[in-house]
Amino acid sequence: MPKIVIQEPAPVLRRKSEKFEKIGSREAKKLVFKMLETMKEKRGVGIAAPQINEGVQAIIVDTADGPLALYNPKLLKTSKKKESGEEGCLSVAGVYGIVPRFTSVEVEAQNEKAEIVRIKAEGFFARVLQHEIDHINGVLFIDRATKITEGKKILDEIENKAAKPIL
Ligand SMILES: [Zn+2]
């Protein structure tokens, strides 16, 4: 079955997701499975639950050891230094931009056994974590981009659509 990624503008992408309380349940396994399948099909390196229309705090990030599912993640510590790099997003298809991100972060989250884990990340891995944690807080990379490198026209269309009242 083709996987659908929610596209901006969409309310589910713009609100803070709810804390995920059902870690370890069948529902959690189904959610992670669906996120993983969608991420793989669309060749993403990370995905957040709102992108498949689930307003809960769950993310998946690709790592050297395989995909890592995290629930209720938050940034615990960040470096002072930021580094600019190019990003895109499955929910803002066709748009790329330069986004400053902390060069290193420490993230606290729950794993699939509901244990509290702390993850130290640098460079690209830190960037992906910040991008996905932004998603569960209703923030998209286009909000933080200092420059749009590709897809300006698409972005204009998104902004037009978002500005039109639906009555
Ligand atoms: Zn994204």
Side-chain angles (χ1 to χ4, degrees):
M1 214 167 79
K3 309 294 183 296
I4 291 172
V5 178
I6 301 299
Q7 295 295 306
E8 169 73 350
V12 70
L13 294 175
R14 291 313 204 163
R15 62 172 93 96
K16 190 172 163 68
S17 294
E18 279 170 40
K19 200 169 174 214
F20 194 79
E21 308 278 8
K22 297 171 194 158
I23 302 171
S25 67
R26 261 185 66 153
E27 225 177 303
K29 290 191 178 85
K30 265 171 80 177
L31 173 73
V32 165
F33 181 77
K34 198 174 165 196
M35 285 167 68
L36 200 54
E37 290 292 293
T38 308
M39 184 179 96
K40 279 190 202 158
E41 187 179 291
K42 308 292 179 190
R43 296 171 190 274
V45 290
I47 194 164
Q51 295 183 274
I52 60 159
N53 210 18
E54 299 287 346
V56 292
Q57 297 183 19
I59 64 170
I60 294 178
V61 288
D62 222 354
T63 76
D65 302 322
L68 175 68
L70 296 172
Y71 300 100
N72 308 315
K74 56 175 186 253
L75 290 181
L76 211 58
K77 284 185 200 162
T78 59
S79 56
K80 284 202 180 85
K81 220 180 126 196
K82 285 188 178 180
E83 185 174 53
S84 284
E86 194 173 34
E87 286 181 27
C89 178
L90 297 177
S91 293
V92 198
V95 179
Y96 295 86
I98 304 295
V99 184
R101 298 282 188 190
F102 298 111
T103 53
S104 64
V105 293
E106 194 174 333
V107 170
E108 189 178 87
Q110 283 172 282
N111 64 15
E112 287 180 280
K113 293 177 196 155
E115 298 159 339
I116 304 268
V117 291
R118 283 187 183 184
I119 295 153
K120 285 185 179 166
E122 307 186 329
F124 187 67
F125 184 34
R127 176 171 295 275
V128 178
L129 281 167
Q130 289 169 79
H131 179 115
E132 302 311 334
I133 292 172
D134 267 355
H135 268 301
I136 58 170
N137 290 307
V139 176
L140 297 176
F141 85 95
I142 48 174
D143 306 338
R144 298 194 189 275
T146 51
K147 190 187 173 196
I148 298 299
T149 50
E150 210 179 301
K152 274 200 190 83
K153 230 180 119 184
I154 299 169
L155 192 59
D156 284 346
E157 280 164 22
I158 290 171
E159 278 162 5
N160 269 336
K161 225 192 247 178
K164 273 183 193 154
I166 300 163
L167 304 173

